[in-house]
Amino acid sequence: MIRLIVSLSALLIAVSTPLADPAQDYADNCQECHGSGRLGSIGPALIPQTLGRMRGPNLISVIRDGREATQMPAFGDLLSDKQIDALSAYLKQPLDDVPPWGTEEIMASRELNPEYRPADEPVWSSDPFNITLVVETGDHHVSVLDGDTFETLDRFPTPFAVHGGPKFSPNGRYVFIMSRDGWVQKYDLYSLQEVGRIRAGLNSRNIAMSHDGNWVAVANYLPNTLTILSTEDLSVAAVQEIKGKDGTPSRISAVYQAPPRESFVLALKDVPEIWEVFYGPNPPHYGFAHDWRIEGPARHTKPFPVRKITTPDYLDDFFFDQSYEYVMGASRSGDGGQVIDLVIGHKIADLDLPGMPHLGSGITWKYGDTTVMATPHLKDGTVSVIDMKTWKTVKQIETLGPGFFMRSHENSPYVWVDVFFGPNKDVMHVIDKGSLEIVKTLRPEEGATVAHVEFTRDGSHALVSIWEDDGAVIVYDADTLKEVRRLPMRKPSGKYNVWNKITFSEGTSH
Ligand code: HEC
């Protein structure tokens, strides 16, 4: 009887609201490609964490019109406007529950390329340390460039929506690439082949490579975990749940490696804590919260001791000094910063950093008898230059708008910084490292977003992205600041030179 009433009322509801049942429409039309829990399959995950950047009508028009030259079909003829509106609102709702994504599930996602054949030597004759990768987000590919001739050696598909910088193994042979949906892809630059991929998280921020080349750490938002993979075969070494000292679950803002400390350092997003995870043979003896053991194959069994440091404020983004003892963090409110000493585990200085600095793209250089660190601001047209001995601001350089990336090279007298937001997003500033003045403002293509710079190994050339679907990488002579080549690319974002990355060039972020 009760069952009858329930199904009767369900029927009544169905009759009175016949137009939109987004969960059902999803199951009928989208699930086969976007996964049963909206967590992705052939198509990407459709969850607020990933759709947040698709504002207003964007999401609706993708569903209605599909995406040309991809497997995403148009639903305008199949679903009414009301159904599409409801579906788009439904996709922006948080998931009711996040499925477990531990060692077992992650391992089950691993796909090793059966055609992969390791090559002892590169199958090309370029300088292996001057290889430069270009991430092309327009159609989810990476181009492998010879850094001397700028010829393309290969162009390979990546998982959907690469996020954060790819990381090279210490000898520059392999590269690990992470996507927003948590896939980690391993690619062999010698044989120009994918080795395999594995889904280390469901929604992820960035990865870090241990300096010994043995481990890749993956910072996840969903679930609240840090995944450590063996670089050798992408097997899971550990999955650590992230909870603050008081038990509050937290996402990870970012993870970086601290080579002299043989540790990964991560900032938590929802709890004011920094964690340090040691992977070396001799972790320091102080301050461990607990040990955790690797669950992977027996030969990997070893503990990863974790140290948790409470900080006065949340750290959304951070930067290390060259000794990796000091962490410079931007505060969440966006109007200041702090310096944390990792050895003593305390804040030692405040930073005058307004306008939400983008510390993840900060760089350093010698300035007089000190070293300065510079970072663009995400909320105002300023670059802050900070003395790393006194932690005082040396100069705030005014730019034509908020910037995102900043780069230099040991052999270059200049620092390059983009304007990423606002009406002047087609501008790239070149700043003199000595005078701290803007010496040139480049505008290579009126109206096009121009962003992110990477240098060649010797610093003689600077590569700049025209960040548009029908975009390009422009090669500049780094001394004369003249354009020498233009390589067509599909929405190129970051570019990564093997040498500058594996030697931790002071001109690049890590
Ligand atoms: C046949 C497979 C397939 C089906 C069915 C499908 N999609 Fe897609 N969808 C894709 C693929 C593949 C992409 C990635 C396209 C690209 O490369 O930009 C995509 C992309 C999207 C995107 C853009 C996501 C982003 O982050 O850029 C949205 C939104 C989307 N789909 C919604 C839907 C909805 C809603 C449905 C059901 C009404 C649906 N899709 C059905 C394959 C599919």
Side-chain angles (χ1 to χ4, degrees):
M1 185 63 187
I2 291 175
R3 187 177 285 169
L4 186 69
I5 293 170
V6 170
S7 52
L8 260 179
S9 60
L11 190 71
L12 278 176
I13 290 170
V15 169
S16 59
T17 53
L19 282 175
D21 179 354
Q24 192 59 47
D25 287 339
Y26 178 85
D28 292 346
N29 299 288
C30 322
Q31 184 161 304
E32 68 172 295
C33 291
H34 290 284
S36 55
R38 287 158 50 201
L39 287 164
S41 167
I42 306 169
L46 299 177
I47 52 178
Q49 287 85 348
T50 67
L51 297 174
R53 79 200 151 79
M54 296 184 80
R55 302 223 166 73
N58 273 345
L59 180 53
I60 288 167
S61 64
V62 174
I63 303 172
R64 192 185 54 218
D65 308 329
R67 277 230 179 107
E68 221 175 294
T70 77
Q71 293 180 69
M72 173 61 197
F75 287 91
D77 292 339
L78 227 98
L79 302 172
S80 68
D81 286 355
K82 262 219 172 89
Q83 281 174 300
I84 292 177
D85 282 356
L87 202 44
S88 105
Y90 168 75
L91 298 177
K92 288 203 167 177
Q93 296 298 316
L95 294 176
D96 289 336
D97 47 13
V98 179
W101 202 253
T103 303
E104 209 175 299
E105 291 82 7
I106 298 172
M107 279 308 285
S109 75
R110 185 174 65 160
E111 299 164 11
L112 296 174
N113 175 10
E115 262 130 60
Y116 172 63
R117 297 285 170 273
D120 290 335
E121 308 228 315
V123 297
W124 30 263
S125 55
S126 313
D127 172 0
F129 295 119
N130 198 19
I131 297 292
T132 299
L133 302 187
V134 182
V135 174
E136 293 181 67
T137 55
D139 63 352
H140 313 287
H141 277 69
V142 162
S143 281
V144 183
L145 299 185
D146 173 318
D148 294 305
T149 64
F150 305 109
E151 296 308 317
T152 303
L153 301 174
D154 189 24
R155 188 169 187 276
F156 64 89
T158 66
F160 186 88
V162 167
H163 207 274
K167 302 292 176 224
F168 296 102
S169 58
N171 62 5
R173 171 170 177 178
Y174 299 103
V175 64
F176 295 79
I177 298 170
M178 191 207 78
S179 79
R180 200 185 65 187
D181 289 346
W183 286 95
V184 176
Q185 175 185 35
K186 178 179 179 184
Y187 178 87
D188 183 344
L189 289 164
Y190 283 12
S191 69
L192 301 177
Q193 279 182 305
E194 172 166 343
V195 181
R197 54 179 78 184
I198 187 166
R199 194 169 186 186
L202 297 170
N203 182 248
S204 308
R205 303 311 292 170
N206 78 329
I207 54 175
M209 159 85 58
S210 65
H211 80 289
D212 59 11
N214 291 334
W215 316 104
V216 164
V218 187
N220 299 320
Y221 265 14
L222 265 189
N224 293 158
T225 53
L226 180 80
T227 303
I228 298 186
L229 301 173
S230 157
T231 52
E232 196 186 325
D233 59 359
L234 292 177
S235 61
V236 176
V239 181
Q240 172 69 3
E241 226 183 302
I242 305 295
K243 280 187 177 154
K245 289 176 183 169
D246 68 357
T248 309
S250 178
R251 296 168 290 173
I252 301 174
S253 304
V255 58
Y256 296 102
Q257 62 147 309
R261 303 177 60 77
E262 305 192 326
S263 67
F264 292 117
V265 178
L266 39 143
L268 308 198
K269 192 163 178 71
D270 306 305
V271 175
E273 286 178 25
I274 293 183
W275 286 20
E276 198 174 8
V277 176
F278 294 91
Y279 56 76
N282 302 305
H285 303 292
Y286 45 73
F288 294 119
H290 58 187
D291 277 15
W292 33 297
R293 298 227 158 239
I294 297 181
E295 303 158 29
R299 72 199 142 93
H300 291 145
T301 298
K302 84 183 207 56
F304 284 103
V306 182
R307 179 169 169 237
K308 304 180 179 180
I309 300 169
T310 299
T311 51
D313 194 356
Y314 295 88
L315 291 176
D316 267 348
D317 195 13
F318 55 98
F319 186 85
F320 296 95
D321 75 319
Q322 294 291 78
S323 77
Y324 287 83
E325 175 169 352
Y326 301 106
V327 176
M328 304 166 73
S331 70
R332 170 166 307 171
S333 56
D335 59 4
Q338 52 190 319
V339 181
I340 310 289
D341 184 331
L342 280 180
V343 173
I344 61 173
H346 279 288
K347 179 180 97 166
I348 52 137
D350 287 305
L351 297 169
D352 177 25
L353 275 176
M356 193 165 267
H358 187 211
L359 290 175
S361 72
I363 60 168
T364 61
W365 68 88
K366 300 263 174 312
Y367 180 76
D369 58 2
T370 187
T371 298
V372 290
M373 180 269 190
T375 173
H377 296 191
L378 298 170
K379 287 212 173 138
D380 57 30
T382 309
V383 168
S384 279
V385 183
I386 290 170
D387 185 327
M388 298 192 68
K389 269 188 198 151
T390 62
W391 307 113
K392 297 274 180 267
T393 301
V394 178
K395 185 165 181 187
Q396 291 192 332
I397 303 167
E398 208 177 303
T399 65
L400 286 175
F404 203 77
F405 297 107
M406 192 153 191
R407 283 286 188 279
S408 186
H409 188 282
E410 284 81 350
N411 295 343
S412 171
Y414 304 124
V415 171
W416 298 54
V417 63
D418 56 32
V419 171
F420 202 77
F421 307 98
N424 295 313
K425 64 186 170 52
D426 55 357
V427 152
M428 177 73 68
H429 292 298
V430 181
I431 297 169
D432 185 287
K433 282 177 177 171
S435 68
L436 306 183
E437 299 287 341
I438 294 176
V439 291
K440 188 143 191 177
T441 294
L442 301 161
R443 189 175 251 134
E445 200 169 306
E446 199 80 25
T449 302
V450 171
H452 194 274
V453 180
E454 174 63 303
F455 283 79
T456 49
R457 173 184 179 178
D458 62 2
S460 65
H461 293 85
L463 281 64
V464 171
S465 289
I466 304 247
W467 194 299
E468 301 286 345
D469 198 47
D470 191 10
V473 164
I474 304 182
V475 183
Y476 285 94
D477 181 308
D479 288 325
T480 64
L481 309 179
K482 293 265 184 303
E483 178 175 336
V484 295
R485 281 286 289 276
R486 204 174 265 229
L487 317 166
M489 301 266 174
R490 294 281 310 275
K491 206 175 209 182
S493 55
K495 299 160 295 299
Y496 306 88
N497 176 272
V498 168
W499 182 259
N500 295 340
K501 288 296 174 188
I502 66 176
T503 58
F504 291 82
S505 162
E506 64 179 19
T508 179
S509 53
H510 306 299

